[in-house]
Amino acid sequence: MIRVLIVSGQTSLQRPLGAILEPEMTISVQADRKSALDLISRDQADVVIVDLDTRFAPLVQQLAFLSELRGAGVPVLVLTDDDRRSTALELLEHGVYDQIRKPPSPLEMSVVIRRAHEHALLKRELAEAKRKLLDTGSCDRLAGNSFKMMEVYELIRRVANLPAAILIHGESGTGKELVARAIHNLGNRAALPFVAVSCGAIPETLIESELFGHEKGAFTGAHGARVGLLEAAGAGTLFLDEIGELSPATQVKLLRVLQEKEFTSLGGRRKIPLQARVLFATHRNLKEMVEAGTFRSDLFYRITVMKIEVPPLRLRLEDVGVLANLFLRRYASSCGKSISGIDARAMRALTAYSWPGNVRELENTIHRAVIISDSDTIGIADLPDIAPQLVPAAPVSIAFEDVLREFKRGLAERTLMECEGNKTRAALTLQISRAYFHRLLRDDHELPRISEA
């Protein structure tokens, strides 16, 4: 049952709105703002609806009240018949989740209230998951406040102490090793060794010796015994990155180790117990490799009991600013420069770029910008590899209007994603009408020309 509090000078609203929304919601109406804040502070409301009616209070006073509600942690909706863009922008700036036009339809009221409530619950749960992770210091090198990263934080928390095999999947440069370290640091093995190895960086002829170790004389050149990584990790964590690069022969031996929980070094006879927790990562599609016969199906199912998908940066562009400033502070300090920030134009360029190299590319870009910058802020001139990418050349065989239409639709879709599916907010962000925004999203060829935008 969702508890809806309506703040309005018209106490008569309770009966008609109650008839619309019950029995799935409980409705109460408060005319006094102080009493409404008191109810909210005592956790007596899940969603607040403010009747924006200047007949009962000046707009300035109502906006100040909205600011107070923003700090209360509940989603705020506004009932209004004011369709001016300036008012809508002011409402968003004062923390309003969405606005409902008067007179409200039953379906719209019900949908918007449920959506606001679900959004608030999810935001609260994910924020709590991130807080728990950050309190332990285990995600100190992971950054981002997007929903996609919040989901990653929550998965890390859930699997930290599980003995199950975990596969971390993501494109190159997304931070798979940071996720593995966070799992290790948050779990009960945090005080024990964390050993990371990239399977693709070790020659096939040496990978077995690296993993299992070898005895003196085990093969040509083995002049002494060597402890393998499986043993060196002890009871800590062994992180096998790029697991898809292992040869079929090594896949068989690794599978046996995971099944039997023991192994022998090359040339040795002594059984060595596997004490370490083993985490796996890859940027490749292992399922397709299984179908192609290049990766063993039994090993695939053994290592994918749990899977954490690390999102590419292009799907969480709202995190670019957080990451860019993090890297700026790091490299400004190491380079001995007093660069205090990134100017607005440069930040727009950073957030408009698709980042095929993901977080690693962003880090290198900021590092380079810090080195070449002569100012106290990073400007567009300090991003020579990014700025030219923002204006893609249109092939001469494609009509100008077709290119323009696709660009506008793509911009609308990306803005909608960044606004978490809120079309009103997305339209206001682009400074276009909601009706025109809807037309941009339609997959047809009747979109208005640029003069209509």
Side-chain angles (χ1 to χ4, degrees):
M1 186 78 67
I2 302 175
R3 298 165 301 174
V4 181
L5 172 62
I6 301 172
V7 184
S8 172
Q10 300 183 66
T11 54
S12 58
L13 280 173
Q14 183 165 3
R15 181 174 296 175
L17 288 179
I20 289 174
L21 301 175
E22 289 180 347
E24 59 181 310
M25 303 172 192
T26 60
I27 308 296
S28 61
V29 178
Q30 282 288 339
D32 180 58
R33 295 197 296 269
K34 186 176 180 181
S35 299
L37 286 169
D38 181 59
L39 284 173
I40 295 167
S41 67
R42 291 189 283 111
D43 193 26
Q44 298 296 308
D46 299 314
V47 177
V48 178
I49 300 178
V50 177
D51 181 15
L52 197 71
D53 195 330
T54 53
R55 292 177 300 170
F56 296 96
L59 179 60
V60 174
Q61 289 184 16
Q62 297 192 64
L63 291 176
F65 176 57
L66 292 175
S67 294
E68 290 185 81
L69 288 176
R70 176 165 54 181
V74 291
V76 178
L77 305 174
V78 165
L79 274 173
T80 180
D81 54 9
D82 187 342
D83 59 357
R84 291 176 298 174
R85 186 188 307 277
S86 58
T87 302
L89 285 171
E90 279 195 285
L91 293 177
L92 288 177
E93 289 174 359
H94 285 78
V96 171
Y97 176 76
D98 208 343
Q99 61 187 78
I100 304 170
R101 292 295 304 278
K102 293 180 181 179
S105 72
L107 179 60
E108 182 184 13
M109 284 283 287
S110 180
V111 168
V112 174
I113 290 172
R114 280 202 306 270
R115 188 178 64 190
H117 183 238
E118 291 168 0
H119 178 271
L121 287 178
L122 179 60
K123 192 173 182 179
R124 197 174 305 140
E125 289 171 3
L126 294 178
E128 177 64 15
K130 185 180 180 184
R131 183 193 65 77
K132 290 178 180 178
L133 288 170
L134 294 179
D135 283 349
T136 64
S138 49
C139 283
D140 57 343
R141 295 186 62 197
L142 284 172
N145 299 313
S146 62
F147 276 168
K148 288 187 178 294
M149 283 308 295
M150 290 292 190
E151 290 169 353
V152 171
Y153 299 146
E154 172 63 9
L155 280 175
I156 291 172
R157 184 188 66 80
R158 290 185 181 184
V159 305
N161 285 317
L162 292 180
I166 299 167
L167 176 68
I168 303 166
H169 181 263
E171 297 176 8
S172 294
T174 51
K176 297 186 290 295
E177 182 173 340
L178 293 181
V179 171
R181 287 185 181 275
I183 293 172
H184 171 78
N185 291 339
L186 189 63
N188 50 22
R189 301 173 188 251
L192 300 170
F194 178 89
V195 178
V197 58
S198 174
C199 299
I202 302 174
E204 184 180 340
T205 54
L206 298 178
I207 186 67
E208 290 185 25
S209 173
E210 288 290 322
L211 291 177
F212 307 114
H214 63 256
E215 303 298 321
K216 181 179 179 180
F219 51 85
T220 303
H223 301 300
R226 178 172 180 172
V227 174
L229 296 174
L230 285 166
E231 186 176 1
T237 301
L238 175 63
F239 174 56
L240 297 181
D241 197 5
E242 299 306 340
I243 190 71
E245 306 303 319
L246 289 180
S247 68
T250 307
Q251 290 178 35
V252 173
K253 294 184 178 181
L254 178 61
L255 174 63
R256 184 172 181 81
V257 172
L258 298 175
Q259 289 174 334
E260 304 297 331
K261 301 296 181 183
E262 61 181 18
F263 59 96
T264 58
S265 60
L266 298 183
R269 297 183 179 180
R270 178 176 61 93
K271 296 290 185 180
I272 305 171
L274 175 65
Q275 302 178 59
R277 178 187 193 178
V278 187
L279 302 177
F280 309 89
T282 184
H283 73 283
R284 303 181 68 174
N285 188 323
L286 294 186
K287 196 168 185 180
E288 288 183 356
M289 293 180 66
V290 169
E291 294 170 355
T294 56
F295 197 84
R296 293 184 63 92
S297 60
D298 43 9
L299 179 58
F300 171 74
Y301 292 115
R302 172 69 63 173
I303 67 175
T304 54
V305 175
M306 287 291 296
K307 183 177 179 182
I308 296 179
E309 193 74 36
V310 187
L313 191 53
R314 65 179 175 276
L315 296 184
R316 56 182 187 107
L317 289 173
E318 58 267 49
D319 290 336
V320 168
V322 175
L323 289 161
N325 282 298
L326 176 70
F327 296 138
L328 173 62
R329 290 192 297 271
R330 180 183 303 169
Y331 290 113
S333 176
S334 65
C335 293
K337 290 196 171 185
S338 56
I339 303 177
S340 58
I342 302 170
D343 71 27
R345 190 178 174 206
M347 186 60 77
R348 283 196 298 271
L350 292 172
T351 54
Y353 185 57
S354 61
W355 300 107
N358 293 297
V359 179
R360 186 180 296 125
E361 183 184 5
L362 174 59
E363 181 175 4
N364 292 341
T365 297
I366 298 300
H367 192 180
R368 187 183 307 115
V370 168
I371 292 172
I372 65 177
S373 178
D374 295 327
S375 175
D376 58 356
T377 58
I378 298 296
I380 193 72
D382 302 318
L383 306 171
D385 297 332
I386 300 301
Q389 306 294 328
L390 303 180
V391 186
V396 293
S397 59
I398 300 178
F400 171 77
E401 291 295 344
D402 291 336
V403 175
L404 180 61
R405 181 172 55 249
E406 290 305 315
F407 173 79
K408 290 162 75 176
R409 180 182 292 116
L411 181 61
E413 290 172 347
R414 191 175 71 197
T415 305
L416 182 63
M417 178 186 70
E418 292 173 354
C419 292
E420 302 167 359
N422 190 315
K423 293 180 180 178
T424 299
R425 190 173 302 174
L428 287 168
T429 299
L430 293 174
Q431 299 184 28
I432 58 178
S433 70
R434 186 180 169 97
Y436 179 56
F437 183 79
H438 276 283
R439 279 147 59 196
L440 285 176
L441 293 176
R442 287 206 305 267
D443 188 19
D444 56 37
H445 297 281
E446 302 301 326
L447 296 176
R449 301 304 186 195
I450 190 169
S451 59
E452 297 181 21

